Coordinates of all heavy atoms in Angstrom, one line a residue:
A165 N -4.3 15.6 -5.1 CA -3.4 16.2 -6.0 C -2.3 15.3 -6.4 O -1.8 14.5 -5.6 CB -2.8 17.4 -5.3
G166 N -1.9 15.3 -7.7 CA -0.9 14.4 -8.2 C -1.4 13.1 -8.7 O -0.7 12.4 -9.4
R167 N -2.7 12.8 -8.4 CA -3.3 11.6 -8.9 C -4.3 11.9 -10.0 O -5.1 12.9 -9.9 CB -4.0 10.9 -7.8 CG -3.1 10.3 -6.7 CD -3.9 9.3 -5.9 NE -2.9 8.8 -4.9 CZ -3.2 7.8 -4.1 NH1 -4.4 7.2 -4.2 NH2 -2.4 7.4 -3.2
V168 N -4.4 11.0 -11.0 CA -5.4 11.2 -12.0 C -6.8 10.7 -11.5 O -6.9 9.6 -11.0 CB -5.0 10.4 -13.3 CG1 -6.1 10.5 -14.3 CG2 -3.7 10.9 -13.8
I169 N -7.7 11.6 -11.5 CA -9.1 11.2 -11.0 C -10.0 11.0 -12.2 O -10.1 11.9 -13.1 CB -9.6 12.4 -10.1 CG1 -8.6 12.8 -9.1 CG2 -11.0 12.0 -9.5 CD1 -8.3 11.7 -8.1
T170 N -10.7 9.9 -12.2 CA -11.6 9.6 -13.4 C -12.9 10.5 -13.2 O -13.2 10.9 -12.2 CB -12.0 8.2 -13.4 OG1 -12.7 7.8 -12.3 CG2 -10.7 7.3 -13.5
K171 N -13.5 10.6 -14.4 CA -14.8 11.3 -14.4 C -15.8 10.6 -13.5 O -16.6 11.2 -12.8 CB -15.3 11.3 -15.9 CG -16.3 12.4 -16.1 CD -16.5 12.5 -17.6 CE -17.9 12.0 -18.0 NZ -18.2 12.1 -19.4
T172 N -15.7 9.2 -13.6 CA -16.7 8.4 -12.8 C -16.4 8.7 -11.3 O -17.4 8.9 -10.5 CB -16.4 6.9 -13.0 OG1 -16.4 6.7 -14.4 CG2 -17.4 6.0 -12.4
A173 N -15.2 8.8 -10.9 CA -14.9 9.1 -9.4 C -15.5 10.5 -9.1 O -16.0 10.6 -8.0 CB -13.4 9.0 -9.2
L174 N -15.3 11.4 -10.0 CA -15.9 12.8 -9.7 C -17.4 12.7 -9.6 O -18.0 13.3 -8.7 CB -15.4 13.8 -10.8 CG -13.9 14.1 -10.8 CD1 -13.6 15.0 -11.9 CD2 -13.5 14.7 -9.4
C175 N -18.0 12.0 -10.5 CA -19.5 11.9 -10.4 C -19.9 11.3 -9.0 O -20.8 11.8 -8.4 CB -20.0 10.9 -11.5 SG -20.0 11.5 -13.1
E176 N -19.2 10.3 -8.6 CA -19.6 9.6 -7.3 C -19.3 10.5 -6.1 O -20.1 10.5 -5.2 CB -18.8 8.3 -7.2 CG -19.4 7.3 -8.1 CD -18.6 6.0 -8.0 OE1 -17.8 5.8 -7.0 OE2 -18.7 5.2 -9.0
H177 N -18.1 11.2 -6.1 CA -17.7 11.9 -4.9 C -18.1 13.3 -4.9 O -18.3 13.9 -3.8 CB -16.2 11.8 -4.8 CG -15.7 10.4 -4.5 ND1 -15.8 9.8 -3.3 CD2 -15.3 9.4 -5.4 CE1 -15.4 8.5 -3.4 NE2 -15.0 8.3 -4.6
V178 N -18.3 14.0 -6.0 CA -18.6 15.4 -6.0 C -20.1 15.6 -6.3 O -20.7 16.4 -5.7 CB -17.8 16.2 -7.0 CG1 -18.1 17.6 -7.1 CG2 -16.3 16.0 -6.7
W179 N -20.7 14.7 -7.1 CA -22.1 14.8 -7.4 C -22.9 13.8 -6.6 O -24.1 13.8 -6.5 CB -22.4 14.7 -8.9 CG -22.2 16.0 -9.7 CD1 -23.1 16.9 -10.0 CD2 -20.9 16.5 -10.1 NE1 -22.6 17.9 -10.6 CE2 -21.2 17.7 -10.8 CE3 -19.6 16.1 -10.1 CZ2 -20.3 18.5 -11.3 CZ3 -18.6 16.9 -10.7 CH2 -19.0 18.1 -11.3
E180 N -22.1 12.9 -6.0 CA -22.7 11.8 -5.1 C -23.8 11.0 -5.8 O -24.7 10.5 -5.1 CB -23.2 12.5 -3.8 CG -22.1 12.8 -2.9 CD -22.4 13.8 -1.8 OE1 -23.6 14.1 -1.7 OE2 -21.5 14.2 -1.1
H181 N -23.7 10.9 -7.0 CA -24.6 9.9 -7.7 C -24.0 9.5 -9.0 O -23.1 10.2 -9.5 CB -26.0 10.4 -7.8 CG -26.2 11.6 -8.6 ND1 -26.6 12.8 -8.0 CD2 -25.9 12.0 -9.9 CE1 -26.6 13.8 -8.9 NE2 -26.2 13.3 -10.0
H182 N -24.6 8.5 -9.6 CA -24.1 8.1 -10.9 C -25.1 8.7 -11.9 O -26.3 8.7 -11.7 CB -24.2 6.5 -11.1 CG -23.5 5.9 -10.0 ND1 -22.2 5.4 -10.2 CD2 -23.8 5.6 -8.7 CE1 -21.8 4.8 -9.1 NE2 -22.7 5.0 -8.2
F183 N -24.6 9.2 -13.0 CA -25.6 9.5 -14.0 C -25.1 9.1 -15.4 O -24.0 8.6 -15.5 CB -26.0 11.0 -14.0 CG -24.9 11.9 -13.7 CD1 -23.8 12.1 -14.6 CD2 -24.8 12.6 -12.5 CE1 -22.8 13.0 -14.4 CE2 -23.8 13.5 -12.2 CZ -22.8 13.7 -13.2
D184 N -26.0 9.2 -16.4 CA -25.7 8.8 -17.7 C -24.3 9.3 -18.1 O -24.0 10.5 -18.0 CB -26.8 9.5 -18.6 CG -26.6 9.0 -20.0 OD1 -25.8 8.2 -20.3 OD2 -27.4 9.6 -20.8
T185 N -23.5 8.4 -18.6 CA -22.1 8.8 -19.0 C -22.1 9.7 -20.2 O -21.1 10.3 -20.5 CB -21.3 7.5 -19.4 OG1 -22.1 6.7 -20.3 CG2 -20.9 6.7 -18.2
G186 N -23.3 9.8 -20.9 CA -23.4 10.8 -22.0 C -23.4 12.2 -21.5 O -23.2 13.1 -22.3
T187 N -23.6 12.4 -20.3 CA -23.7 13.8 -19.8 C -22.3 14.5 -19.8 O -21.3 13.8 -19.6 CB -24.3 13.9 -18.4 OG1 -24.4 15.2 -18.0 CG2 -23.5 13.1 -17.4
N188 N -22.3 15.8 -20.0 CA -21.1 16.5 -19.9 C -21.0 17.4 -18.7 O -20.2 18.4 -18.7 CB -20.8 17.2 -21.2 CG -21.8 18.4 -21.5 OD1 -22.8 18.4 -20.7 ND2 -21.5 19.2 -22.4
V189 N -21.8 17.2 -17.7 CA -21.8 18.1 -16.6 C -20.5 18.2 -15.9 O -20.1 19.3 -15.4 CB -23.0 17.6 -15.6 CG1 -22.7 16.2 -15.0 CG2 -23.1 18.6 -14.4

Side-chain angles (χ1 to χ4, degrees):
R167 290 195 182 191
V168 178
I169 308 297
T170 63
K171 202 170 108 179
T172 310
L174 291 177
C175 286
E176 286 177 17
H177 295 278
V178 178
W179 277 264
E180 286 164 6
H181 57 245
H182 304 262
F183 38 70
D184 184 4
T185 50
T187 179
N188 65 349
V189 61

